Amino acid sequence: MPDVQALVNDFVFKLKRRKIEGSHASARQTAELLRSVVSSQRVPYTNQAAALIEAVKVVGEQLISANPVELAVGNIVRRVLHIIREEDLSSTAALMEGLNLSGASDDDNDKEEREDRPTLSAAAVAAAARSTLRAPSLHTLLEDIPESAVAPHPSSSGGESEGKSKSAEKSLKSRKLKHDVIEAINELIRDIDTCHEQISEQAVEHIHHNEVILTLGSSRTVMEFLCAAKEKKRSFRVFVAEGAPRYQGHALAKELVAKGIQTTVITDSAVFAMISRVNMVIVGAHAVMANGGVIAPVGLNMVALAAQRHAVPFVVIAGSHKLCPLYPHNPEALLNELKSPAELLDFGQFSDCMDFGTCGGLPLLHVVNPAFDYVPPKLVSLFITDTGGHNPSYMYRLIADYYSADDLVVQRRQVSGR
């Protein structure tokens, strides 16, 4: 698939160079790329889901290693793998139901007995798989079927026509699995596009008249959430911590003022001084971990501690594409990266402090500029996602609905030559 491989290489290049910024853009473009991978994949007659899973894992491994800090990329890769498993499970359940119906239709006198016989629906099997986070294999589902139900019935048209019908049936099933997976990925892309709107619809339930809200930095989700409350005639004031050293809070303050919202810009160090006047803290997130911890822009852990000290609700807003099935202690989770020291210091003014000719070739001045903070779940009061509001203790169960346990580590099986 040369065209798809070119798309993969271009996307990997952009991820490595950090040319794609933000979880929303990264998640959407990852889903679109994996949709192209699935669409171009040639699926065999047997082990169709395994072939699609292997193709997605090959690409997903490259994407995750290109920018491990952008957890939304890995989230979407795992979501697509989960989609393939569920669609294959649903088609298997439908096949079993068809076998039950065809076996029962051989005897018209058993009609009343067939009506009383329970049948296994695709939705029931898929729900059972989600509850255990492990989709059963096709062999496991079919091994208890009686041989009389699986054995082919003699046909008057001969073996040749029967072989052709089987081949056509396999080809149709192959196309149907790909079609169902692509449709599910399209639905995932629509969910990513509309997550801000679905979150904003809940604004009036959480923001009330004459409240004072504190936020830090800049977040599109937070901005649309606050603007939605303003459109519903809510009157409130927003304190925006500027979010040094990138000062993204300045841009958010301008956007809020343009929407007619009373806004006050404060320094990050003034959060503890101003928190006693605040009714609620509303912030965005880079990622939400399986334990309910939050990977957020640097400085938010300080805000969360201040909110806990003064008993102020700390609310985190995040789309479902930011829900990560990994825990902070997992080695696959890279939670931070260092930004350029130039954001903090002017090298022209501090060049004498960074002279490598002194102290045995080591500079006296070191500059550390982390991008993210980790906020433990005990400091979070509420999560608001596109599916509603949730307590931190429920996040692991919500995340379990989107991922399979087999896909937490996106790594292909290495064939050893020893």
Side-chain angles (χ1 to χ4, degrees), residues 336-350:
N336 217 331
E337 68 176 348
L338 299 180
K339 295 293 187 179
S340 171
E343 295 180 346
L344 296 178
L345 299 179
D346 184 353
F347 284 106
Q349 298 179 4
F350 289 86

Side-chain angles (χ1 to χ4, degrees), residues 10-22 25-26 29 67:
D10 180 65
F11 192 57
V12 168
F13 175 80
K14 292 179 179 178
L15 288 175
K16 288 182 176 179
R17 296 299 181 92
R18 305 301 194 262
K19 293 188 175 182
I20 302 177
E21 295 185 358
S26 300
Q29 295 186 38
N67 188 359

Side-chain angles (χ1 to χ4, degrees), residues 327-361:
Y327 288 85
H329 61 266
N330 289 135
E332 298 81 17
L334 184 60
L335 306 183
N336 217 331
E337 68 176 348
L338 299 180
K339 295 293 187 179
S340 171
E343 295 180 346
L344 296 178
L345 299 179
D346 184 353
F347 284 106
Q349 298 179 4
F350 289 86
S351 58
D352 55 337
C353 301
M354 300 181 180
D355 186 4
F356 286 84
T358 61
C359 295

Side-chain angles (χ1 to χ4, degrees), residues 51-300:
L52 291 178
I53 288 173
E54 179 66 15
V56 171
K57 281 191 173 183
V58 168
V59 176
E61 194 173 358
Q62 301 178 54
L63 302 184
I64 294 174
S65 60
N67 188 359
V69 180
E70 190 53 76
L71 297 177
V73 173
N75 295 343
I76 298 301
V77 172
R78 297 180 181 94
R79 287 281 294 272
V80 172
L81 291 173
H82 180 66
I83 285 172
I84 297 173
R85 296 182 188 277
E86 282 218 323
E87 293 299 333
D88 180 57
L89 186 61
S90 298
S91 62
T92 301
L95 175 62
M96 290 178 59
E97 188 174 0
L99 289 174
N100 290 335
L101 292 176
S102 63
S105 62
D106 291 340
D107 190 356
D108 294 337
N109 296 329
D110 295 337
K111 182 177 180 180
E112 295 181 359
E113 181 180 353
R114 292 200 310 272
E115 292 176 352
D116 297 335
R117 182 184 305 169
T119 58
L120 185 62
S121 66
V125 177
R130 283 196 301 269
S131 65
T132 59
L133 283 180
R134 184 180 295 274
S137 63
L138 177 63
H139 174 73
T140 304
L141 289 172
L142 295 180
E143 64 180 356
D144 292 330
I145 296 180
E147 294 183 0
S148 59
V150 182
H153 297 280
S155 174
S156 60
S157 59
E160 183 179 355
S161 60
E162 183 179 354
K164 290 182 179 179
S165 63
K166 285 185 177 180
S167 177
E169 182 180 353
K170 290 179 179 179
S171 178
L172 179 61
K173 182 181 178 183
S174 170
R175 291 195 299 269
K176 184 178 185 304
L177 178 61
K178 285 181 57 175
H179 177 269
D180 293 343
V181 171
I182 291 173
E183 285 299 317
I185 296 176
N186 289 334
E187 183 178 355
L188 173 61
I189 294 174
R190 287 192 293 269
D191 290 342
I192 295 173
D193 290 337
T194 60
C195 69
H196 296 105
E197 299 175 4
Q198 295 176 3
I199 293 175
S200 298
E201 291 175 356
Q202 308 171 53
V204 292
E205 302 175 9
H206 301 279
I207 298 179
H208 307 286
H209 281 295
N210 301 323
E211 284 192 335
V212 178
I213 297 168
L214 172 67
T215 188
L216 181 142
S218 179
S219 169
R220 176 187 170 187
T221 312
V222 172
M223 184 198 68
E224 295 193 10
F225 190 82
L226 297 175
C227 291
K230 177 65 177 179
E231 292 175 357
K232 297 296 183 180
K233 308 303 181 182
R234 291 287 194 267
S235 177
F236 56 93
R237 174 182 290 274
V238 179
F239 288 169
V240 180
E242 56 186 359
R246 287 172 286 279
Y247 301 106
Q248 296 175 342
H250 296 175
L252 176 63
K254 290 181 180 179
E255 294 174 346
L256 294 178
V257 170
K259 296 293 184 179
I261 299 176
Q262 300 183 38
T263 307
T264 302
V265 177
I266 63 174
T267 61
D268 298 342
S269 57
V271 168
F272 262 98
M274 305 296 291
I275 194 70
S276 60
R277 308 181 186 181
V278 173
N279 301 107
M280 182 187 304
V281 176
I282 300 179
V283 297
H286 176 70
V288 178
M289 310 304 290
N291 66 334
V294 181
I295 309 300
V298 65
L300 273 181

